[in-house]
Amino acid sequence: MVEIVVHDLRAFTHDRHAVVDDRPYGGGAGMVLKPEPILEAVAGISRGEETRLILLTPQGRPFGQAIARELVEHRHLLLICGRYEGFDERVRERLCPDEISIGDYVLTGGELPALVLLDATIRLIPGVLGDADSARYDSFIEAMLDFPQYTRPPVVQGLSVPEVLLSGDHERIRRWRRKEALRRTKARRPDLLLRADLNEEDRRLLGEIEEEGSC
Ligand code: JCQ
């Protein structure tokens, strides 16, 4: 079972207007999240040692499948969403949170990153996914992009399904899928290909792909 509780930072202020932000020392545009509401919120919400504290900001370490696998082992996650120009640095100094980014772009707040992180993590809890999806836990996902998928009908608007997929020849199908996964990965994510441990067949298929040229 998963329980998600949303806390309002403004509930951890003590002034009449529940102010959570203030102007940056040293000047400049925008506002900074005040430290006390965040420190008081964490003190009130955290279950101490049991809680993994996470700050969602563009300055964090890049989120990925490996971090999701790490987080799913924890009973309690406390996600702190950044906004404005960010947190008063003393929040990091006091809490030593695990600072995580979901990508190199700037959003208005850490709420969507928090949902992305939760979705990727919760689907790893045993029993959350049906059998059909569970196969996709495969670490293959990280090393290589997926091969192209097709379903019925065999022809749509003159576009056909590759003949090999209708052949029933499981060995040919396996090889075709591997080759198309390699082709895609090479074209779109050459960075993944450099890190992947390729076997002899992979190298031969990549050679074929090279010969064929690409779009
Ligand atoms: C998270 N990738 C992008 C926006 C400031 C310093 O705190 C801030 C946090 C946010 C929200 O997070 C993101 C983000 N991963 O924009 C501004």
Side-chain angles (χ1 to χ4, degrees), residues 52 61 63-75 77 98 100 117-126 136-143 195:
R52 175 71 168 259
R61 62 182 177 129
F63 184 66
Q65 199 63 32
I67 297 182
R69 277 201 301 267
E70 197 183 301
L71 297 183
V72 76
E73 301 298 331
H74 291 76
R75 275 186 56 73
L77 305 177
D98 182 6
I100 295 177
L117 179 148
L118 286 177
D119 187 84
T121 303
I122 290 167
R123 70 182 285 285
L124 299 183
I125 298 173
R136 300 175 60 79
Y137 289 164
D138 209 338
S139 61
F140 185 70
I141 290 173
E142 295 162 78
R195 284 194 282 114

Side-chain angles (χ1 to χ4, degrees), residues 56-59 82-87 101-103 105-107 109-110 113:
L56 294 152
T57 82
Q59 285 78 44
R83 325 220 103 197
Y84 312 117
E85 302 312 307
F87 301 96
S101 162
I102 64 157
Y105 37 80
V106 182
L107 304 169

Side-chain angles (χ1 to χ4, degrees), residues 143-160:
M144 189 91 64
L145 299 186
D146 251 337
F147 50 77
Q149 301 277 12
Y150 294 86
T151 185
R152 295 186 298 177
V155 183
V156 64
Q157 298 184 359
L159 304 171
S160 7

